[in-house]
Amino acid sequence: IIIPAWYAGLCSILGAILALAENWHVSEGILYVLSNILGLADPLTDVSPNKTAGKVIDVVISSIALGYIAIFADYVTTLNPSSYVRFKIRGYLIALGVVDADSTAIAHPLRQPSITNDGECDHKEEEEGTETTHAKSLLVGSFPA
């Protein structure tokens, strides 16, 4: 919900700036920027920047869009927020008494058990409250597992 709302707000602000520079209606600017940020091959509008200022703003908008897409990809792949969310939701459900802590696994149910040196399956689960970190993101640092 946060990422699409952020992109919608970004498209609205940058589209209004571009529309002002090109003397377009604001909706045309927003649709142009939305098409640009989403990388659509068939744009949502027929307008394109003709003035030098509009072309410069278009380059800046494209750079911003590429940067935010890279940030989003970094967040999803490097920080793995889904395991953190699962861990927190499990804790809240246990605190509310909805889920029994002894009968639910801490780790993801599809997690493969590790094989020890003697060929045995290691079914150890992580202790409650322990936090491991994944690789560090250049932008926001490490994220708890």
Side-chain angles (χ1 to χ4, degrees), residues 39-102:
L40 300 178
D42 188 19
L44 299 172
T45 184
D46 293 331
V47 298
S48 60
N50 295 322
K51 298 178 182 176
T52 304
K55 290 178 182 178
V56 169
I57 291 171
D58 188 25
V59 168
V60 170
I61 289 170
S62 297
S63 300
I64 290 170
L66 184 62
Y68 278 112
I69 290 169
I71 290 170
F72 178 67
D74 178 52
Y75 176 73
V76 170
T77 58
T78 305
L79 301 178
N80 192 9
S82 62
S83 63
Y84 177 74
V85 170
R86 279 193 309 270
F87 180 77
K88 288 297 184 181
I89 289 174
R90 179 183 180 275
Y92 292 135
L93 291 176
I94 290 170
L96 292 172
V98 176
V99 173
D100 180 27
D102 296 329

Side-chain angles (χ1 to χ4, degrees), residues 18 31 45 69 113 115 120 129:
L18 184 60
L31 289 174
T45 184
I69 290 169
I115 306 295
E120 299 284 325

Side-chain angles (χ1 to χ4, degrees), residues 95-112:
L96 292 172
V98 176
V99 173
D100 180 27
D102 296 329
S103 64
T104 58
I106 292 173
H108 190 277
L110 299 177
R111 179 176 159 210
Q112 298 293 324

Side-chain angles (χ1 to χ4, degrees), residues 11-33 47-55 57-58 61:
C11 287
S12 298
I13 292 168
L14 297 175
I17 292 170
L18 184 60
L20 182 66
E22 286 289 324
N23 294 324
W24 297 339
H25 190 267
V26 174
S27 64
E28 293 291 332
I30 292 172
L31 289 174
Y32 180 82
V33 171
V47 298
S48 60
N50 295 322
K51 298 178 182 176
T52 304
K55 290 178 182 178
I57 291 171
D58 188 25
I61 289 170

